Amino acid sequence: MSAPALSPTSGTSSSKAAAASTADSPTTASTAARPRIVIAGAGPAALALVRQLTRTPFAGAITVLSNRDDAPEELLELAVLPQVSVRFGQPASYIDAGNRLVTTADGMEFSYDELVIATGSAPAEAPVEGAARCLSYSTIDDAARLGDAVKDVTRVLGRRPLGILVGTGSAAGQAEAVLRSRGVRPVRTTVRPAAVVPTLAGSVLPASGIVFEDGSSMNGDLVILAEERIARDELAATAGLTTAPGGGIVIGQDFRTSAPGIWAIGDAAAYDGVRLGLLVASGSAASVCASQLLQATMGSPLAAAA
């Protein structure tokens, strides 16, 4: 199996928030006169794509329909860029693929020339009690963060750490490989724990063990959860897009979906049946997708004004 192509040939403060809120409306003449890219979602893949698009010759408007409950600094910084409009708390809820129109949960409508679905993924199950105390792995992007955490733990311990790895499937397999490459001795369990055991008060180390429903436990120097996630691909049904049996919007090597003018990136997408976040880093995917979008907007007629 090969991942999507990775060559260009195959996007805080109250003052920042105010700038974002006064950005171009979906029906202004300025946006109608230039190509429009709408991005549904505001996670790592979406933000990486916006950054990439602003570094290209793309001269159109970029609208981000945020499905997040928060407004991180990185998103606010993008919101003040001249060609970027971020709609906070207005997730996309319906796609009219024929008319190239997106409707948000609040009923606002946005016309687009190209639409990118980057709504991410969600945990398949409710969080394990105390999960916030331990490390997690869900995409390739987590490898560097996990490696940095292991380095810190190793420095504190002065020896190779013993890691408790929880999970099944591809994510757990990748996490185990990362841990071994960083010198961790991983002990893997496929049984979901009831809770994560915190370290002693004042300790600089993360969680050190897990407890199962039957009262048994496993202890180590750090705990890593690499549980399965489900693509947030509900928008696909509204546009009639093809989805993978295991979830995720089916894409080709160029990140195009089964409908003209609609693309998918990040964990909302699936390539060859595998969640994209497990195949390609968000930055690499964003770079290629931005190049494809640039070609599409330069070579296609603009959508009609909203």
Side-chain angles (χ1 to χ4, degrees), residues 23-198:
D24 292 342
S25 71
T27 57
T28 58
S30 61
T31 57
R34 53 182 178 165
R36 291 158 292 183
I37 294 177
V38 173
I39 301 175
L47 300 186
L49 180 58
V50 174
R51 284 195 300 271
Q52 289 293 335
L53 285 170
T54 58
R55 296 168 184 165
T56 71
F58 178 69
I62 303 168
T63 300
V64 179
L65 305 179
S66 177
N67 60 342
R68 304 179 61 138
D69 295 326
D70 59 348
E73 180 70 20
E74 186 178 16
L75 183 57
L76 292 172
E77 290 174 353
L78 293 173
V80 299
L81 296 177
Q83 69 194 108
V84 179
S85 171
V86 178
R87 299 291 172 161
F88 294 96
Q90 293 183 18
S93 62
Y94 183 81
I95 300 170
D96 181 346
N99 292 312
R100 298 205 175 195
L101 192 69
V102 183
T103 304
T104 69
D106 291 340
M108 295 190 68
E109 295 183 337
F110 294 83
S111 293
Y112 66 86
D113 295 294
E114 307 296 332
L115 169 66
V116 183
I117 301 176
T119 43
S121 64
E125 300 185 65
V128 173
E129 181 183 344
R133 306 187 188 101
C134 62
L135 302 172
S136 63
Y137 188 99
S138 60
T139 72
I140 287 178
D141 290 332
D142 292 325
R145 180 177 54 81
L146 183 56
D148 290 341
V150 168
K151 185 186 300 183
D152 293 339
V153 172
T154 302
R155 183 174 60 250
V156 171
L157 293 175
R159 58 172 172 79
R160 290 179 61 192
L162 174 63
I164 306 299
L165 174 61
V166 180
T168 61
S170 300
Q174 286 187 10
E176 183 172 356
V178 171
L179 292 171
R180 290 188 183 279
S181 70
R182 300 300 194 278
V184 175
R185 297 171 292 160
V187 177
R188 184 171 169 181
T189 176
T190 58
V191 179
R192 199 166 194 260
V196 174
V197 178

Side-chain angles (χ1 to χ4, degrees), residues 3 6 11 38 45 49 69 78 118 147 157 169 181 235 240 249 274 278 280 292:
L6 292 181
V38 173
L49 180 58
D69 295 326
L78 293 173
L157 293 175
S181 70
L235 277 175
I249 301 168
V274 180
L278 293 172
V280 184
Q292 295 289 333

Side-chain angles (χ1 to χ4, degrees), residues 159 161-165 185-187 189 195-199 207-212 215-223:
R159 58 172 172 79
L162 174 63
I164 306 299
L165 174 61
R185 297 171 292 160
V187 177
T189 176
V196 174
V197 178
T199 54
S208 59
I210 54 178
V211 176
F212 298 100
S216 61
S217 63
M218 294 178 67
N219 296 297
D221 298 309
L222 68 165
V223 177

